Amino acid sequence: MNKDLIIDVGTSGVEIALLEDKYLVELHQERNESSHIVGDVYLGLVKKIMPGLNAAFVDVGNEKDGFLHYLDLGHHFNSLNKFTRIAMGGDPNTAMIENMKLEPELEKNGKINTVLKQGQVILVQVTKEPISTKGPRIGSEISFAGRFLVLIPFSNKVSVSTKIKSIEERNRLKRLINSIRPNNFGVIIRTVAENKNVAEIDADLKDLIGKWETIRKKLPKALPPTKLVSEIDKSSAIIRDILSEEFTNVYVNDAELSEDLRSYVKAIYPDKDDIVRHYKMQTPIFEQFGVANQIRNAFGKVVTIRSGIYLVIEQTEALCVIDVNSGHRSKGSQNQEENALMVNLEAAEEIARQVRLRDIGGIIVIDFIDLNIVTNRKILYDKMTEIMERDNAKHTILPLSKFGLMQITRQRVRPVIDVDISELCPVCGGTGKIKSSVIVVDDIENDLKYLVREQNEKTLTLIVHPFIHAYLTKGWLNSRASKWSRLYKVKIKVEPGQKLNIMEYQFLNQNNDTIKL
């Protein structure tokens, strides 16, 4: 499979398209006016305790207070709270967690009001961006993600990604990390760290520890709510997380970003830096690689698949419903069950793509075409499970219910991507209403009267929408156009204009020049 990354850097922000075999599967957007706050660490102020929800609302400087559930405090909240008090109390050098004695872990089934109180100052990290009317989701289990590692303060646990299968490599990485990590810093070793040398992993670890040091140095003078550490910008975070040696090409239309990416790729994949290419053509980059056309076709309520199958996608705040329709594909087979299975399998591919492309989260309900044979229902479930494995977001898929519905829950981290592919109606201006055709005819007559009496025109050609043309010429001698000709003593010819909307009309003089009114 060929995987290409197309990066469009514009004045309004950055758009990143992921193509698999030239087929758009992911679209990421970062607008200049938007703020990406997931991963940012704040010194927050507890505003309200909600015992019924076992949660608290914390002011982190956002328009809406952050939501902090007891389970999101993390096992090491007592140690984090102790560190915060020490660091804010004086010299930051006294708050070296390498020398701290860690506090007992938080009880799993505890209550929020036994741990927090209103007005308390705490360290929190944003885990989900504000969505709709909800504020950001936050937690106190601080972690910092790098290219190869994830650093977790107040822990001494070292774990390795389950995707690294080699026992020898897993043991090597654990020994390596244990030899270089400071005390009271836990580490998760990411998949991309496989076969990396000590220097690369050590540089990544030092960079992550540097973020913690920034927090430690800022705390003595910080007043809540305030941001202490920012995650890297959204586009860089996306590139960091999805870029791998599997990519065939990376195209970017910005020279500076192109050089940065080439250096970045060379550092992690020394023999792959030539995959980064600076796009210099005049044609917009998304147009050149067919991304723009795929965006226009993929977003919208109705999504048509090449074979004639189409999906109807309805998105609400809490739920996304997808209806599968066979369209004219049903004519392809005489066996109804076989045809339904083929339609559902083809639709499943597009649904998995749409979920990734639009970044749909929460509950997704799919209304497939009914299957009566149990083995066919199992085939469809297995197919959906297989193709959803390409999706990095956490998800759970349930088998088809007796009503033919499949339910999927998918991790929601940021709002659904919504590309507006509609245009403002040039006739009604978006109101959904236009002038009555009678009023249009009155306007034409008023302009005709003006041209004859004020401009002394004797021969005129009127071009109107075909609907209006039929109305004006109906009845020949008794038509509205004939009556105007006799009343105003003017030779008038009425012609249909196929490119005019129903509200438009034009007058031409005897030289066939357009008369501006």
Side-chain angles (χ1 to χ4, degrees):
M1 178 184 292
N2 290 328
K3 296 178 71 174
D4 298 326
L5 207 60
I6 314 298
I7 305 173
D8 182 15
V9 181
T11 55
S12 60
V14 180
E15 288 188 295
I16 302 172
L18 172 59
L19 306 183
E20 292 180 355
D21 290 333
K22 302 188 183 301
Y23 208 45
L24 179 65
V25 294
E26 288 186 24
L27 180 66
H28 303 271
Q29 300 173 331
E30 182 187 12
R31 300 301 181 191
N32 290 335
E33 68 273 10
S34 65
S35 58
H36 175 64
I37 63 174
V38 171
D40 292 355
V41 178
Y42 289 82
L43 184 66
L45 183 69
V46 178
K47 296 296 291 289
K48 188 184 294 184
I49 304 293
M50 305 293 289
L53 298 175
N54 203 19
F57 287 98
V58 181
D59 182 10
V60 292
N62 197 271
E63 183 179 352
K64 298 280 187 178
D65 291 338
F67 181 78
L68 174 64
H69 193 273
Y70 177 86
L71 296 177
D72 294 327
L73 288 172
H75 299 298
H76 311 292
F77 177 76
N78 290 330
S79 299
L80 176 67
N81 201 29
K82 176 183 176 182
F83 164 80
T84 306
R85 290 197 309 269
I86 295 172
M88 294 188 70
D91 188 349
N93 293 323
T94 61
M96 304 287 289
I97 70 170
E98 297 93 321
N99 304 323
M100 280 180 57
K101 181 182 178 181
L102 298 184
E103 296 294 310
E105 291 188 358
L106 208 61
E107 293 181 18
K108 186 177 181 180
N109 299 318
K111 300 297 181 183
I112 193 82
N113 52 5
T114 62
V115 182
L116 297 179
K117 60 183 179 181
Q118 190 171 342
Q120 184 174 340
V121 177
I122 59 172
L123 273 178
V124 293
Q125 187 172 37
V126 178
T127 57
K128 291 184 181 179
E129 289 185 14
I131 297 176
S132 186
T133 59
K134 300 176 182 177
R137 184 76 180 259
I138 56 178
S140 286
E141 193 162 14
I142 310 296
S143 63
F144 302 107
R147 178 61 187 167
F148 306 117
L149 310 171
V150 178
L151 183 71
I152 305 173
F154 306 105
S155 172
N156 284 295
K157 184 178 179 181
V158 176
S159 57
V160 184
S161 167
T162 55
K163 293 183 180 180
I164 299 178
K165 303 299 182 182
S166 169
I167 297 176
E168 292 81 4
E169 179 62 11
R170 293 173 68 87
N171 290 335
R172 180 189 78 89
L173 290 170
K174 277 191 175 182
R175 288 195 302 270
L176 192 159
I177 292 298
N178 280 320
S179 67
I180 61 176
R181 74 171 179 87
N183 187 39
N184 293 337
F185 282 100
V187 173
I188 299 173
I189 303 172
R190 306 182 73 175
T191 308
V192 289
E194 188 172 11
N195 298 322
K196 298 302 176 184
N197 59 41
V198 180
E200 292 175 296
I201 294 178
D202 184 52
D204 198 36
L205 180 62
K206 287 179 178 176
D207 181 59
L208 298 177
I209 292 175
K211 290 188 176 183
W212 179 258
E213 288 298 302
T214 301
I215 294 175
R216 183 177 65 84
K217 292 174 182 177
K218 286 184 176 181
L219 271 176
K221 298 179 181 180
L223 294 174
T226 185
K227 184 190 294 186
L228 298 175
V229 170
S230 292
E231 173 63 285
I232 57 178
D233 63 87
K234 184 177 179 181
S235 54
S236 299
I238 293 167
I239 293 168
R240 178 197 66 193
D241 290 338
I242 68 176
L243 190 60
S244 67
E245 57 186 343
E246 299 174 357
F247 276 87
T248 310
N249 298 292
V250 178
Y251 295 97
V252 56
N253 60 353
D254 181 78
E256 185 177 349
L257 182 57
S258 174
E259 285 303 314
D260 290 345
L261 279 176
R262 186 174 286 107
S263 300
Y264 177 69
V265 172
K266 189 173 184 179
I268 56 176
Y269 306 115
D271 58 338
K272 299 277 288 184
D273 63 310
D274 60 338
I275 69 172
V276 180
R277 294 177 171 85
H278 179 207
Y279 179 82
K280 301 178 181 178
M281 296 175 63
Q282 293 294 321
T283 306
I285 188 169
F286 273 14
E287 294 284 354
Q288 178 67 26
F289 292 98
V291 176
N293 188 50
Q294 291 192 57
I295 291 173
R296 286 191 287 267
N297 293 332
F299 287 87
K301 181 178 177 180
V302 178
V303 177
T304 304
I305 305 173
R306 291 176 184 172
S307 61
I309 302 166
Y310 66 94
L311 309 175
V312 180
I313 302 176
E314 292 279 3
Q315 180 73 40
T316 68
E317 185 174 344
L319 182 74
C320 177
V321 179
I322 302 176
D323 183 36
V324 178
N325 294 273
S326 59
H328 58 73
R329 172 66 174 78
S330 58
K331 300 177 183 178
S333 173
Q334 299 299 320
N335 187 313
Q336 184 176 350
E337 180 75 14
E338 179 187 344
N339 187 74
L341 177 60
M342 297 304 295
V343 168
N344 286 339
L345 291 176
E346 192 170 347
E349 288 273 4
E350 182 62 24
I351 289 169
R353 171 181 174 248
Q354 286 289 328
V355 166
R356 289 176 66 188
L357 186 57
R358 303 184 188 215
D359 203 15
I360 300 173
I363 301 172
I364 305 165
V365 178
I366 307 168
D367 183 10
F368 283 107
I369 297 173
D370 290 344
L371 295 171
N372 298 317
I373 301 175
V374 175
T375 53
N376 286 343
R377 296 157 75 95
K378 179 70 164 56
I379 290 171
L380 177 58
Y381 172 73
D382 291 341
K383 176 70 172 180
M384 180 60 80
T385 303
E386 176 190 342
I387 56 183
M388 284 292 287
E389 286 180 357
R390 307 169 197 163
D391 192 347
N392 293 325
K394 295 178 183 178
H395 59 269
T396 303
I397 305 173
L398 297 182
L400 285 167
S401 72
K402 64 180 180 180
F403 300 114
L405 302 177
M406 180 178 287
Q407 299 175 65
I408 301 175
T409 59
R410 186 175 182 271
Q411 181 186 25
R412 172 182 286 167
V413 176
R414 54 187 179 271
V416 177
I417 291 179
D418 184 21
V419 177
D420 188 5
I421 58 173
S422 60
E423 296 180 357
L424 194 66
C425 174
V427 182
C428 71
T431 64
K433 297 180 179 180
I434 61 173
K435 288 182 181 180
S436 165
S437 57
V438 175
I439 297 177
V440 177
V441 171
D442 289 343
D443 289 342
I444 294 173
E445 185 174 0
N446 289 334
D447 287 341
L448 175 63
K449 188 188 304 183
Y450 169 79
L451 291 174
V452 172
R453 294 179 177 176
E454 302 295 332
Q455 301 292 336
N456 201 29
E457 296 286 351
K458 298 299 183 183
T459 303
L460 291 169
T461 301
L462 172 63
I463 303 176
V464 292
H465 185 272
F467 177 79
I468 302 296
H469 172 266
Y471 176 78
L472 294 178
T473 57
K474 182 180 179 181
W476 193 42
L477 291 176
N478 292 322
S479 68
R480 181 63 64 95
S482 297
K483 290 179 180 179
W484 284 345
S485 182
R486 292 193 295 269
L487 178 62
Y488 299 110
K489 296 180 175 56
V490 60
K491 185 178 180 181
I492 183 168
K493 181 181 179 182
V494 183
E495 294 181 354
Q498 300 294 336
K499 295 183 179 180
L500 297 180
N501 68 55
I502 197 168
M503 305 299 297
E504 290 180 321
Y505 56 90
Q506 294 177 349
F507 280 103
L508 307 180
N509 60 22
Q510 60 183 358
N511 298 321
N512 285 329
D513 295 327
T514 301
I515 301 174
K516 293 183 179 180
L517 293 168

